[in-house]
Amino acid sequence: MRFWRRSLLTVAVCLLALSGRAYAMSARSAVVMDADTGAVRYAHNADEVLPMASTTKIMTALVVIEQGDLDRSYTVKPEYTRTEGSSMYLKPGETLTIRDTLYGLMLMSGNDAALALAGECGGQEAFVQAMNDKAQALGLTNTHFENPNGLDGETHHTTAHELAQLTAYALQNPDFREIVSTKSITCAGRTMVNHNKMLTQYEGAIGVKTGYTKKCGRCLVSAAERNGRTLVAVTLNDPDDWDDHAAMLDDAFSAYAPVTLHQAGETVGDVPVEGGTQPRVGLTADHDAIVYLTDDEREQVTDSFRGRRFVYATVAGGDYYGEIVYRLGDFLIKTDSLAYAGDVEQIEPPPSIWERLIEFFKNLFGW
């Protein structure tokens, strides 16, 4: 009996150890965050201040994109090419666009691309200041940049949580999202392949950025979307980042389950009717409304109508009224169109004073 108890205990410990892989314990710091609501789904030393290597380029790309005019051309200066580490292999004197350079920045992790973008978007010193100003504006109090490429620096650092917050914000920009989700592209006379293996290895992956220096270790920011929900995972100094990200994201996505907010044809509310034979008319939903929520989110969903506060008779059943909108905090999770549930006829207006006088005299004189 003692042997069996000892064996069962051993099995339990092994299973616990295996389940721990979902929590990225090989990382110095890790977090999984809901990109839409900001809710943290998992954290491990998520607020520890650490260097972040080339994940720096998330902020570099964001600052460039928010300045706009991505399709303008520029000529590569020699100083843009004088940098160590990964490169998109810019050549002095060649001409390309800001957008092309952004692909080199995010797909090939080009340190030369970072210098070129900073140089063409205000100059190195002013650009790094813009990066820090943006961090401050986003409330990233433990994030500071010394350069646009992520090479080691004494005060070049962030936290896993703040890097996730930055990424969630950046993913709202369609240009940023398109670039970081691109697996490969041919532009500026070169074919560039994304270094981020998550894009090919993980279902629903939409980016975002790898990073490595000897000081920082392996750093990775990934994002994935399933069933309308987007998660961001970050690990800093993680020797097993690809597997850890897949495990963390799988674990976080498993917490979301389908919830039916309403069914097609269901009456979800009503609206007052002026001048009608009925004081109100029902509003029916046109489609099923199914969203994926965690258990704690279910009670936080609110709904409201987009439409007129009242309508005038006559009302025809089936005609379009407006929309029902479901929100989770400030996050819009679902909308559906609404139709009137039935007909409401107009009340016959009362006779005017002249009509009543004529009717009176008709009755009086027998007309």
Side-chain angles (χ1 to χ4, degrees):
M1 180 65 72
R2 185 177 300 174
F3 168 78
W4 285 109
R5 284 201 298 266
R6 189 162 53 238
S7 298
L8 288 172
L9 179 60
T10 301
V11 171
V13 170
C14 291
L15 289 173
L16 184 61
L18 287 172
S19 68
R21 284 200 50 74
Y23 300 102
M25 294 307 292
S26 60
R28 174 73 176 267
S29 176
V31 72
V32 179
M33 193 184 82
D34 188 308
D36 301 309
T37 67
V40 173
R41 298 300 172 200
Y42 168 71
H44 169 65
N45 296 332
D47 295 320
E48 183 178 359
V49 178
L50 293 167
M52 68 289 211
S54 282
T55 61
T56 295
K57 292 164 183 161
I58 294 170
M59 179 63 90
T60 304
L62 177 64
V63 171
V64 172
I65 290 169
E66 289 193 341
Q67 286 190 13
D69 198 12
L70 302 187
D71 295 312
R72 67 181 174 90
S73 297
Y74 72 97
T75 300
V76 176
K77 298 177 181 178
E79 57 265 32
Y80 299 163
T81 65
R82 297 171 189 151
T83 183
E84 60 183 292
S86 54
S87 177
M88 72 171 290
Y89 306 104
L90 291 174
K91 300 174 183 178
E94 74 170 313
T95 299
L96 64 164
T97 67
I98 297 295
R99 188 183 302 274
D100 291 343
T101 313
L102 282 167
Y103 279 104
L105 178 81
M106 301 305 284
L107 274 64
M108 301 182 71
S109 199
N111 291 338
D112 53 352
L115 293 183
L117 290 167
E120 295 299 319
C121 297
Q124 304 296 325
E125 185 175 344
F127 187 85
V128 172
Q129 184 60 53
M131 295 171 70
N132 287 313
D133 288 345
K134 188 65 181 181
Q136 185 176 12
L138 293 175
L140 310 181
T141 57
N142 289 312
T143 297
H144 186 266
F145 302 98
E146 289 186 24
N147 59 65
N149 48 35
L151 294 177
D152 296 338
E154 291 298 320
T155 62
H156 195 91
H157 53 69
T158 188
T159 70
H161 188 197
E162 291 192 357
L163 195 50
Q165 291 174 300
L166 169 62
T167 302
Y169 173 84
L171 284 170
Q172 297 175 32
N173 186 292
D175 287 311
F176 180 90
R177 193 181 182 106
E178 179 181 357
I179 291 168
V180 299
S181 63
T182 298
K183 296 177 183 178
S184 65
I185 190 172
T186 299
C187 61
R190 39 176 73 77
T191 296
M192 295 181 273
V193 178
N194 203 318
H195 291 179
N196 186 358
K197 294 180 182 179
M198 293 293 288
L199 289 173
T200 55
Q201 295 180 354
Y202 191 78
E203 178 188 354
I206 55 174
V208 177
K209 190 69 190 74
T210 59
Y212 173 80
T213 69
K214 187 175 181 179
K215 175 183 177 180
C216 302
R218 294 178 62 86
C219 301
L220 180 62
V221 179
S222 63
E225 184 179 59
R226 291 182 184 176
N227 301 310
R229 301 306 298 266
T230 301
L231 296 176
V232 174
V234 178
T235 51
L236 298 176
N237 195 354
D238 184 0
D240 194 21
D241 49 8
W242 304 120
D243 288 339
D244 285 338
H245 276 242
M248 288 195 304
L249 288 169
D250 279 346
D251 188 69
F253 275 122
S254 70
Y256 295 85
V259 175
T260 300
L261 301 175
H262 66 242
Q263 295 181 319
E266 181 180 340
T267 299
V268 295
D270 55 33
V271 63
V273 180
E274 291 289 332
T277 55
Q278 300 174 33
R280 307 183 74 86
V281 63
L283 301 172
T284 59
D286 286 337
H287 311 91
D288 291 340
I290 301 173
V291 297
Y292 280 71
L293 302 171
T294 62
D295 288 341
D296 61 307
E297 289 175 340
R298 295 182 183 220
E299 302 303 318
Q300 302 173 31
V301 176
T302 60
D303 62 74
S304 59
F305 294 144
R306 288 177 180 165
R308 290 173 289 175
R309 296 176 63 183
F310 62 89
V311 295
Y312 291 101
T314 302
V315 173
D319 279 1
Y320 174 81
Y321 161 74
E323 291 182 317
I324 186 170
V325 178
Y326 293 97
R327 293 183 181 276
L328 186 61
D330 294 330
F331 171 48
L332 190 153
I333 56 174
K334 196 71 175 179
T335 63
D336 191 21
S337 53
L338 300 176
Y340 298 115
D343 299 335
V344 179
E345 299 298 329
Q346 186 180 36
I347 297 174
E348 288 295 328
S352 67
I353 186 170
W354 295 109
E355 290 172 327
R356 282 181 285 166
L357 282 172
I358 291 171
E359 189 65 25
F360 172 78
F361 284 114
K362 280 183 178 181
N363 293 331
L364 181 63
F365 295 109
W367 295 347

